């Protein structure tokens, strides 16, 4: 057993997996990419589309005797721009194959159009949940201004859930674990008990189950938190010793972390239930009651949290949605 995050990084390095923490312009800070020194020579995630990230990636590869041109396989863990922004540039330089969950291939190939549609979906969702129009539109333009850090990319190796990727010295099994995003995929080395989990699990912050259009293109709003909790329960059953995250340090006790996260969601759900039981409220009113001003500055994030927990309550039959003049209000069931 590996007791500490530092020990876990050392053990991963002995297995040929090296963490590169690449700078991003986002509040989350650096993003972790992983070099897998094997055949094919592989990079898991890329960092955002910026000169600074590209320089840093180049110098960290050089420290291991490689260059971007040497990469043979790029694995994309999920659709967020801090993880895939350099994908197209890396492919142009290296000709690397690109592996990702097949369900996300269209989305990754049509990045700009998809981002535009995603923003429109988010604005509609915010308005339906009581967020004032000018605030929703302001957030849409912030999201547009971030788009340049992303990239389109052609997935040349679409993966099915459970599909193995064979290397010279190891096998990684791709496991779809949606929730934080619909395309979240983790990569499991059963022999070494190492799980490359990206943003599915992060030690120091709870992964936001952001409400995102489903990958099948349907207009129905997905229940992101419900899906995320199901995914965490699956990961909980895995005998992983080291979980390598998309941000921050490795996790050496994923069962305890998952139990803690699920308990926190349970407490938040009860807090939201009490607010709804007091009187019917919109998602935005609930977010303001809990997060005050943050419900304004981070309106979509906090709304995603509220809707996620309200979904749990609706599924339990304790809360229902009432539609009032195009705005949804949550009300306790009698
Ligand atoms: Zn992410």
């Amino acid at each position: 057993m590996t007791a500490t995050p530092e020990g876990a990084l050392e053990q991963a390095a002995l297995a040929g997996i090296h963490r590169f923490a690449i700078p991003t312009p986002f509040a989350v800070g650096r993003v972790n990419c992983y070099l897998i020194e094997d055949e094919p020579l592989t990079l898991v995630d890329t960092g955002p589309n910026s000169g600074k990230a590209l320089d840093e990636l180049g110098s960290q590869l050089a420290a291991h005797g490689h260059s971007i041109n040497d990469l043979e396989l790029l694995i994309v863990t999920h659709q967020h721009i801090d993880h895939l922004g350099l994908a197209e540039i890396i492919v142009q330089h290296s000709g690397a194959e690109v592996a990702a969950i097949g369900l996300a291939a269209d989305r990754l190939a049509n990045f700009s159009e998809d981002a535009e549609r995603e923003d429109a979906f988010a604005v509609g969702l915010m308005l339906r949940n009581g967020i004032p129009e000018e605030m929703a539109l302001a957030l849409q333009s912030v999201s547009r201004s971030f788009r340049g850090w992303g990239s389109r990319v052609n997935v040349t190796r679409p993966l099915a859930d459970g599909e193995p990727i064979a290397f010279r010295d190891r096998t990684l099994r791709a496991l779809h674990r949606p929730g934080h995003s619909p395309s979240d995929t983790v990569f499991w080395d059963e022999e070494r008990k190492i799980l490359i989990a990206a943003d599915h699990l992060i030690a120091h912050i709870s992964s936001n189950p952001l409400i995102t259009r489903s990958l099948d293109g349907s207009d129905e709003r997905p229940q992101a938190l419900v899906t995320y909790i199901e995914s965490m329960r699956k990961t909980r059953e895995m005998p992983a010793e080291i979980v390598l995250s998309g941000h921050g340090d490795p996790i050496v006790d994923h069962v305890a972390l998952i139990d803690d996260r699920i308990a926190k969601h349970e407490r938040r759900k009860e807090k939201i239930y009490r607010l709804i039981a007091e009187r019917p409220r919109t998602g935005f009113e609930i977010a303001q009651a809990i997060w005050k001003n943050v419900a304004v500055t981070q309106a979509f994030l906090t709304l995603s949290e509220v809707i996620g927990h309200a979904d749990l309550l609706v599924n339990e039959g304790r809360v229902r949605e009432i539609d009032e003049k195009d705005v949804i209000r949550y009300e306790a069931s009698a």
Side-chain angles (χ1 to χ4, degrees):
M1 276 296 286
T2 312
T4 65
E6 296 72 29
L9 277 182
E10 277 168 31
Q11 200 170 317
L14 288 174
I17 306 175
H18 305 281
R19 177 181 69 170
F20 296 167
I22 302 296
T24 81
F26 308 116
V28 70
R30 287 177 182 255
V31 60
N32 291 333
C33 308
Y34 294 93
L35 171 69
I36 305 177
E37 284 190 300
D38 201 336
E39 284 172 23
L41 186 68
T42 298
L43 184 69
V44 180
D45 287 345
T46 73
N49 189 356
S50 78
K52 203 173 168 200
L54 187 62
D55 286 350
E56 186 97 10
L57 187 61
S59 60
Q60 299 214 30
L61 281 165
H64 291 272
H66 306 290
S67 75
I68 285 171
N69 298 12
D70 301 335
L71 293 170
E72 296 168 306
L73 176 66
L74 175 62
I75 292 177
V76 176
T77 61
H78 67 296
Q79 67 207 74
H80 288 161
I81 57 179
D82 49 336
H83 294 261
L84 57 67
L86 287 171
E88 199 171 35
I89 291 172
I90 288 171
V91 170
Q92 279 164 3
H93 282 80
S94 63
E97 295 274 342
V98 179
I101 196 83
L103 291 168
D106 283 350
R107 186 126 332 172
L108 299 181
N110 300 297
F111 167 73
S112 299
E113 300 87 327
D114 181 70
E116 194 64 37
R117 253 178 257 139
E118 194 65 53
D119 283 348
F121 169 84
V123 168
L125 190 70
M126 288 189 273
L127 298 179
R128 283 282 280 154
N129 287 277
I131 290 183
E133 188 173 11
E134 62 277 12
M135 204 194 286
L137 294 177
L139 280 167
Q140 184 179 32
S141 55
V142 170
S143 171
R144 281 203 184 112
S145 72
F146 284 160
R147 212 167 287 166
W149 279 288
S151 163
R152 65 173 303 286
V153 64
N154 282 327
V155 177
T156 59
R157 179 108 197 253
L159 302 167
D161 183 18
E163 185 172 332
I165 307 174
F167 296 78
R168 184 194 59 212
D169 298 337
R170 80 198 72 214
T171 298
L172 291 181
R173 195 171 291 278
L175 299 167
H176 191 205
R177 290 284 191 273
H180 163 70
S181 86
S183 52
D184 276 34
T185 310
V186 300
F187 295 87
W188 175 227
D189 183 335
E190 187 170 19
E191 193 189 325
R192 295 174 181 81
K193 309 259 185 288
I194 296 177
L195 182 69
I196 301 175
D199 291 3
H200 171 58
L201 280 182
I202 302 172
H204 64 290
I205 39 172
S206 140
S207 301
N208 305 298
L210 284 172
I211 295 179
T212 306
R213 286 155 55 246
S214 65
L215 295 172
D216 65 14
S218 80
D219 287 332
E220 208 175 309
R221 175 178 68 70
Q223 294 197 331
L225 180 60
V226 172
T227 303
Y228 182 48
I229 290 173
E230 278 169 21
S231 288
M232 278 198 287
R233 289 195 198 281
K234 286 186 191 163
T235 300
R236 190 187 184 283
E237 299 311 309
M238 296 173 73
E241 288 180 4
I242 297 173
V243 176
L244 299 171
S245 286
H247 303 273
D249 285 332
I251 296 154
V252 290
D253 191 348
H254 69 295
V255 172
L257 182 71
I258 289 169
D259 286 348
D260 180 62
R261 291 285 150 78
I262 289 176
K264 275 195 183 118
H265 284 305
E266 191 63 28
R267 287 198 294 278
R268 181 158 289 166
K269 181 185 77 180
E270 293 307 326
K271 184 172 183 178
I272 288 175
Y273 178 75
R274 288 193 294 276
L275 288 167
I276 295 170
E278 268 176 28
R279 61 179 166 83
R281 296 176 200 247
T282 65
F284 183 49
E285 286 166 349
I286 296 167
Q288 281 179 304
I290 297 177
W291 290 286
K292 313 281 180 310
N293 189 45
V294 180
V296 174
T297 54
Q298 305 257 40
F300 192 69
L301 200 71
T302 51
L303 182 64
S304 285
E305 277 284 325
V306 169
I307 292 175
H309 292 88
D311 284 342
L312 293 169
L313 291 163
V314 168
N315 294 355
E316 287 170 12
R318 297 165 68 196
V319 159
R320 61 172 173 247
E321 295 179 3
I322 40 178
D323 214 320
E324 256 178 22
K325 290 181 257 163
D326 300 328
V327 173
I328 293 169
R329 231 170 259 282
Y330 291 104
E331 172 184 84
S333 307

